Amino acid sequence: MATASMKRSVKQLHFGGPDEKAAAAAEIKRIARGDLRTRKSLAELGVIPTLVSMILDSPTVSPGRKIAIEALLELANGTFTNKALMVESGLIAKLPNIFNTLDSSTQEQLANLLLSISSLANTQHSIQPHEILPFLIKILNDRDTDDEIKVKFLAALQNLSIKIETTKLIVSSGLVHALLSFSVNKRTSKEALATLSNLVLTSVGKKAIENDSMVPEIFMEIMAWEGMPQSQELVAYILMVIAHQSAKLRKKMIVLGIVPLLLEVALLGSPLAQKRSLKMLQWFKDERQAKLGAHSGPQSEVFGISNALRLKGESSEECERDVRKMVKQSLDQNLKLIIRRGDLSDGCSMIKSLVFNSSSKSLPYC
């Protein structure tokens, strides 16, 4: 229920001069912090279109503009209805016209607001991708844009990319290559990889990622990172999807040294990264021993380690002996790596847990 002070601030926002509007926006920002019911009541009193107008129509240098953005951020908290009202008021459609006229701190606040609104993509409310995507792409491709703003825009792009129609627009815009470049930057990696993990679930996105000249080398580079578990998990997921039915890509990954890298992640990575690495190791196991079922991995032209070794003209027994030798060397190297990185007892416990508590199916190389 609207209080007297709330009604007074709303009236001042609607009918006051520039300074009065700025003061009213500051008061509405304060009131909106209260609870969800208050935020909905303020929206019912019509403050959102007026605040959007303050952002879009204010002079370049205007304290009221930044306060209006902050008020909308509070009003957007926890309510899709209020976010939808912001879209209906023209904020998204007209945002590209004013963004570059703002100072960096105001741009960052507006990026936060856009990120909040982008969560509408996963609801019954709609955001027209053709209205916002060209703007996002332009900002992401601008070398002068601060990384913090790009992180917010990448996170917004991740939200938008869950829709198939948006995925097609992203791929057709040529943004996949840029996303791959962002993924190798540790400041923007997580958001870029999260977007790529959405794109890879569609046939057009998967094809664009798989055919990029940076793949799979860039993903293998990220898998070798330390202290970035989420990026490691996401890149392992993407590799699983693109390699699942591509014998050519799996062969290339083997040549580039994916097996020792997967072994390292299986020993040192997060639980989820370990699980995904072990799954891929199962795929690369000798196809005669792997006995892949209908749903356990790639079905066409499995290119295992033994296949790669046989290209050198080795017999089956020699091949198996070389496989065991290579895996033993990799495990020895990783054990030394664990000892160097941390406490020996912790490392040994991890090895024992992986080796002795895992079935032969979940740990293909043992």
Side-chain angles (χ1 to χ4, degrees):
M1 183 176 179
T3 63
S5 62
M6 186 187 299
K7 291 179 179 178
R8 186 166 54 251
S9 296
V10 170
K11 183 178 180 180
Q12 187 176 336
L13 180 73
H14 287 318
F15 303 109
D19 292 339
E20 291 175 314
K21 284 179 179 289
E27 179 62 14
I28 288 170
K29 170 188 170 183
R30 184 192 67 79
I31 296 171
R33 288 175 179 165
D35 54 38
L36 181 59
R37 184 177 179 181
T38 300
R39 290 191 283 276
K40 289 184 176 181
S41 296
L42 284 166
E44 290 169 359
L45 291 171
V47 302
I48 288 177
T50 305
L51 290 169
V52 169
S53 295
M54 288 177 66
I55 296 172
L56 299 176
D57 302 330
S58 294
T60 302
V61 181
S62 171
R65 173 177 275 169
K66 189 170 184 179
I67 295 171
I69 295 172
E70 293 170 354
L72 287 174
L73 273 168
E74 295 294 344
L75 288 165
N77 185 18
T79 162
F80 291 125
T81 302
N82 286 5
K83 294 174 185 179
L85 285 172
M86 296 174 198
V87 175
E88 292 172 10
S89 299
L91 178 61
I92 299 299
K94 297 179 182 178
L95 182 60
N97 299 332
I98 66 160
F99 191 80
N100 287 329
T101 67
L102 308 174
D103 61 77
S104 59
S105 63
T106 306
Q107 284 183 342
E108 188 168 352
Q109 288 286 72
L110 207 48
N112 284 326
L113 181 57
L114 178 60
L115 172 56
S116 178
I117 294 173
S118 69
S119 63
L120 285 174
N122 201 27
T123 70
Q124 72 273 19
H125 303 287
S126 62
I127 298 178
Q128 297 301 322
H130 64 272
E131 290 184 347
I132 190 62
L133 271 181
F135 169 60
L136 287 177
I137 292 168
K138 179 181 177 182
I139 296 298
L140 290 172
N141 286 328
D142 187 351
R143 294 183 179 181
D144 295 329
T145 303
D146 186 77
D147 274 353
E148 289 304 314
I149 293 175
K150 287 186 176 181
V151 166
K152 303 292 192 308
F153 277 31
L154 284 168
L157 189 65
Q158 175 196 346
N159 286 337
L160 297 172
S161 65
I162 64 174
K163 294 292 182 73
I164 293 178
E165 58 269 27
T166 308
T167 297
K168 292 178 179 178
L169 287 173
I170 292 172
V171 173
S172 64
S173 72
L175 191 60
V176 167
H177 190 78
L179 287 169
L180 289 167
S181 297
F182 283 125
S183 69
V184 82
N185 179 340
K186 291 188 177 182
R187 293 183 69 182
T188 55
S189 177
K190 185 178 70 173
E191 290 76 15
L193 288 170
T195 303
L196 288 169
S197 69
N198 284 340
L199 299 182
V200 80
L201 294 177
T202 66
S203 57
V204 65
K206 178 175 176 288
K207 183 177 180 181
I209 295 170
E210 184 178 343
N211 292 339
D212 193 279
S213 60
M214 300 171 73
V215 175
E217 290 89 340
I218 196 169
F219 291 144
M220 292 174 62
E221 178 183 344
I222 295 168
M223 281 197 76
W225 286 354
E226 297 178 22
M228 299 283 288
Q230 287 181 303
S231 293
Q232 201 174 59
E233 291 164 3
L234 286 166
V235 83
Y237 175 75
I238 295 169
L239 279 174
M240 285 180 68
V241 176
I242 62 175
H244 181 261
Q245 293 180 329
S246 175
K248 180 181 178 181
L249 186 59
R250 294 195 299 275
K251 180 178 179 179
K252 185 177 182 180
M253 289 162 66
I254 289 175
V255 172
L256 291 170
I258 188 71
V259 171
L261 180 57
L262 289 173
L263 282 167
E264 180 177 340
V265 175
L267 291 168
L268 302 173
S270 68
L272 183 55
Q274 287 178 357
K275 181 179 179 181
R276 290 171 176 172
S277 297
L278 290 171
K279 185 68 173 179
M280 282 187 278
L281 284 170
Q282 180 70 32
W283 293 356
F284 291 125
K285 191 176 181 181
D286 185 355
E287 62 181 321
R288 292 177 303 126
Q289 298 178 356
K291 297 180 182 179
L292 295 174
H295 303 289
S296 62
Q299 299 300 305
S300 59
E301 301 182 57
V302 177
F303 192 92
I305 298 174
S306 298
N307 303 71
L309 292 172
R310 286 195 196 102
L311 294 177
K312 301 177 182 179
E314 296 183 356
S315 68
S316 177
E317 291 182 1
E318 290 173 332
C319 170
E320 291 176 5
R321 186 168 59 251
D322 286 341
V323 170
R324 288 194 295 270
K325 181 179 178 182
M326 182 181 69
V327 173
K328 184 178 184 302
Q329 289 174 345
S330 294
L331 288 170
D332 289 342
Q333 290 171 358
N334 279 290
L335 181 56
K336 292 177 182 178
L337 184 60
I338 293 171
I339 294 171
R340 287 200 306 270
R341 287 183 182 176
D343 184 75
L344 176 58
S345 61
D346 291 342
C348 290
S349 297
M350 191 172 190
I351 292 287
K352 291 176 181 177
S353 175
L354 278 169
V355 174
F356 295 113
N357 294 335
S358 298
S359 67
S360 59
K361 183 175 181 180
S362 63
L363 185 61
Y365 292 102
C366 55

